[in-house]
Amino acid sequence: MSSLNKVMIIGRLGADPDVRYTQSNTAVANMSVATTDRYKDRNGELQEKTEWHRVVVWNRLAEICQQYLKKGSLVYFEGKLETREWEDKEGQKRYTTEVKAFNMQMLDSRGDQGGGSPQQNSGGGKPASAQSVNLGDDFDDMDDDLPF
């Protein structure tokens, strides 16, 4: 194997998904996801460290995120890291690294999600509290040999 670029995040949304459409009417959702590590320091005190991750999803998955996710939703995203370059208002080059997600799984219970479950569910046998949507084609063949 020459390289691997794969990210898996479980966290809570910091805000409702922000969905916009490109000129060609392609949906793009931007989300901020918080992951929190809890640990005890040298003095035995419980500490927390929260990291914020920028997650971007495209096409139908972006629309599903807009419909079923909200601020505080517990969600799993799988994708790859991408860094893109852009210019700010002053013409300075800026860079941002984000997770380009191709798989999303809602982890809240149905009552916490608001609005029910998506019609596209690849969960087959998963508990009702775990709704999964996979609209990516990068890793479709990898699932075939998994024992669960």
Side-chain angles (χ1 to χ4, degrees), residues 99-124:
V99 176
K100 184 177 181 183
F102 55 81
N103 188 14
M104 180 272 294
Q105 186 171 355
M106 293 174 262
L107 301 176
D108 285 322
S109 65
R110 285 185 188 257
D112 293 341
Q113 288 176 10
S117 62
Q119 293 185 8
Q120 294 185 1
N121 180 0
S122 62

Side-chain angles (χ1 to χ4, degrees), residues 66-78:
Q66 180 182 36
Q67 184 175 359
Y68 295 102
L69 299 179
K70 62 184 179 193
K71 179 179 179 177
S73 293
L74 184 62
V75 65
Y76 164 84
F77 286 106
E78 183 176 346

Side-chain angles (χ1 to χ4, degrees), residues 19-36:
V19 177
R20 298 176 188 206
Y21 290 85
T22 65
Q23 290 180 342
S24 60
N25 207 30
T26 302
V28 182
N30 289 290
M31 291 165 280
S32 183
V33 179
T35 57
T36 302

Side-chain angles (χ1 to χ4, degrees), residues 124-143:
K126 292 183 180 175
S129 62
Q131 301 298 323
S132 178
V133 179
N134 183 353
L135 298 177
D137 56 348
D138 293 341
F139 295 99
D140 284 347
D141 298 333
M142 292 180 66
D143 296 349

